[in-house]
Amino acid sequence: MADHQEASVTLPSDPASVPTARRYVAEVLDGWGLDGADDLADAIRLMVSELATNAVLHTFGQSPTFTVDVRLEREEHLHIGVTDSHPRWPRRLPAAVQQDNGRGMVIIRSLAAEAGGRLSVTPTEEGGKTVWITLPWTRTAASYV
């Protein structure tokens, strides 16, 4: 396998694009050797669904598209990022807040941490942001519980 592999797809900012993003990432990772039937694959699909949903719902129609990037570095680190052009960054809600939405980032952060990874946000040159999930690939692919 190459030292660095990457794939990306840009989709319309529409709820119908969320399952497309999820399938795209699953197919890429399957091609890179991640068993699509294991717990980690399920967790990644859920995290991508939450990130794509956030890119659609929380940009208030100000981001006509979102991009999903998948990168594998030296078979050590898996990076999955969802980029939109809206300038507002995700907010961390207090656990005591009672509302129907806003739990996606909590779920993502928890699943990433459980797999030995992390969640981060970086600005784009165009004024938007990318929300990244970074996971250790060797641990991820071999021993996720």
Side-chain angles (χ1 to χ4, degrees):
M1 190 176 282
D3 279 352
H4 182 85
Q5 295 188 79
E6 59 183 82
S8 69
V9 64
T10 298
L11 300 165
S13 190
D14 182 277
S17 295
V18 173
T20 303
R22 184 176 53 242
R23 278 191 305 273
Y24 177 78
V25 171
E27 289 170 4
V28 167
L29 295 181
D30 182 58
W32 293 348
L34 181 65
D35 179 4
D38 73 8
D39 289 343
L40 177 67
D42 288 340
I44 290 172
R45 284 190 291 270
L46 178 56
M47 288 186 279
V48 169
S49 290
E50 292 292 336
L51 290 175
T53 297
N54 286 351
V56 171
L57 295 180
H58 299 297
T59 60
F60 307 104
Q62 295 179 21
S63 183
T65 62
F66 67 94
T67 300
V68 180
D69 293 295
V70 187
R71 299 176 185 164
L72 180 58
E73 294 178 359
R74 293 182 300 270
E75 293 192 39
E76 294 175 2
H77 297 97
L78 174 66
H79 306 275
I80 301 171
V82 175
T83 303
D84 64 63
S85 59
H86 193 277
R88 192 179 104 201
W89 285 29
R91 292 179 293 154
R92 190 182 284 199
L93 296 177
V97 172
Q98 298 295 318
Q99 63 185 54
D100 292 335
N101 61 11
R103 299 290 177 243
M105 296 303 287
V106 172
I107 292 167
I108 295 164
R109 189 172 275 109
S110 175
L111 288 171
E114 187 175 314
R118 62 184 166 80
L119 176 86
S120 61
V121 183
T122 58
T124 65
E125 291 180 11
E126 299 79 23
K129 79 274 187 190
T130 304
V131 182
W132 291 101
I133 304 163
T134 301
L135 303 170
W137 180 254
T138 51
R139 175 179 174 181
T140 347
S143 63
Y144 181 80
V145 178

